[in-house]
Amino acid sequence: MAATSPWLVCRQRRPEAYLRLYCFPPSGGSPGEYVRWADDLPDAEVWGIQPPGRGMRVTEREPPPASITEFVDGLIASVDFTGPFVFFGHSLGGLTAFETARALRAAGRPLPERLVLSAYPAPHLPHPRSPLHKLSDDELLVAVSKRYGGLPAALLEDPELVRLVLPAYRADFTIFETYQHVRQEPLDIPIHVLGGESDLASPFLPQWQEHTTADFTVELFPGGHFYLRDQPQEFLNTLRKLICP
């Protein structure tokens, strides 16, 4: 159930809220960044998705999911998505949110009211995948630091902490780099796609329209891949309008 699953984190319970917002993090991301949005989304109960090897589960020595199937199967076996709910996913989280919705449909379970997907190209499009998950630990650490604009010094200076978090990064890159899209019927729920104007993924966001028979929108913000951190209030204002129309 939602209240007990190790896959979920919630900062502020709101059982009377209009809906639940489930947030799927990007590669290497933790749910902490997203559960704080509850302060700006008073009509929603905000839950962060916490896969094995992330957040409070980082010390539990659980192997992180290394394929989209492992991720989705583990999540839907552990979480009972009930009542009105919406999925939000940023970057890799956009892919995992989308595939989770398709798995719920296949299982005959309730679907989210809508998908809000951010900074991830439409999944059926071919795009290069550099084999980061095959790098050595030291090489992967350098690659991650370059891709995400530098990792915190406190992390880089703590070999034990690096040892704890690096498997999650490797697993996430494995999910992304080994993903093979399987065509299915489009979802019959709205899909709203957000991105940064200078992000390399943004030219490939409109093609998400192929994956829904319902409403579809694309909106771009100033900034790059992590535009939502650069424009937090503008982003949250838009998110609020999308999830509580």
Side-chain angles (χ1 to χ4, degrees), residues 66 127 153 158 179 210 220 225:
H127 50 92
D158 188 337
Y179 173 76
E210 292 190 20
L220 298 182
H225 191 64

Side-chain angles (χ1 to χ4, degrees), residues 170-191:
R170 186 181 301 282
D172 283 349
F173 287 127
T174 302
I175 291 174
F176 165 67
E177 292 166 7
T178 61
Y179 173 76
Q180 297 293 322
H181 180 68
V182 177
R183 287 194 175 271
Q184 298 179 11
E185 289 297 313
L187 294 166
D188 60 356
I189 58 176
I191 293 180

Side-chain angles (χ1 to χ4, degrees), residues 22-26 34 49 71 75 81 87-90 93-94 96-97 100:
Y22 293 96
C23 300
F24 292 68
Y34 303 99
I49 303 297
F71 183 104
L75 175 60
F81 298 102
F87 284 170
F88 169 83
H90 178 70
T96 52
T100 300

Side-chain angles (χ1 to χ4, degrees), residues 20-67:
R20 291 173 177 167
L21 174 67
Y22 293 96
C23 300
F24 292 68
S27 298
S30 70
E33 177 176 2
Y34 303 99
V35 296
R36 290 193 293 269
W37 292 351
D39 295 342
D40 293 280
L41 301 172
D43 295 325
E45 186 175 73
V46 181
W47 291 88
I49 303 297
Q50 179 178 250
R54 299 288 185 78
M56 292 183 293
R57 304 178 76 180
V58 73
T59 60
E60 296 178 12
R61 305 194 183 281
E62 305 168 277
S67 72

Side-chain angles (χ1 to χ4, degrees), residues 49-197:
I49 303 297
Q50 179 178 250
R54 299 288 185 78
M56 292 183 293
R57 304 178 76 180
V58 73
T59 60
E60 296 178 12
R61 305 194 183 281
E62 305 168 277
S67 72
I68 196 72
T69 300
E70 286 183 26
F71 183 104
V72 171
D73 287 353
L75 175 60
I76 66 173
S78 181
V79 177
D80 183 15
F81 298 102
T82 58
F85 63 94
V86 172
F87 284 170
F88 169 83
H90 178 70
S91 194
L92 179 65
L95 177 64
T96 52
F98 169 70
E99 289 292 351
T100 300
R102 297 211 299 178
L104 291 174
R105 178 179 65 178
R109 292 172 54 178
L111 294 181
E113 299 283 305
R114 61 193 64 242
L115 298 179
V116 183
L117 308 177
S118 169
Y120 192 87
H124 64 282
L125 298 177
H127 50 92
R129 295 174 169 88
S130 55
L132 298 185
H133 72 280
K134 295 182 178 180
L135 298 176
S136 69
D137 285 355
D138 289 343
E139 291 172 327
L140 180 60
L141 194 63
V142 171
V144 169
S145 185
K146 288 181 178 179
R147 176 169 293 191
Y148 293 103
L151 294 174
L155 170 61
L156 298 175
E157 295 170 1
D158 188 337
E160 179 63 17
L161 188 55
V162 169
R163 184 186 66 80
L164 287 173
V165 302
L166 208 55
Y169 277 105
R170 186 181 301 282
D172 283 349
F173 287 127
T174 302
I175 291 174
F176 165 67
E177 292 166 7
T178 61
Y179 173 76
Q180 297 293 322
H181 180 68
V182 177
R183 287 194 175 271
Q184 298 179 11
E185 289 297 313
L187 294 166
D188 60 356
I189 58 176
I191 293 180
H192 307 289
V193 185
L194 309 176
E197 292 174 349

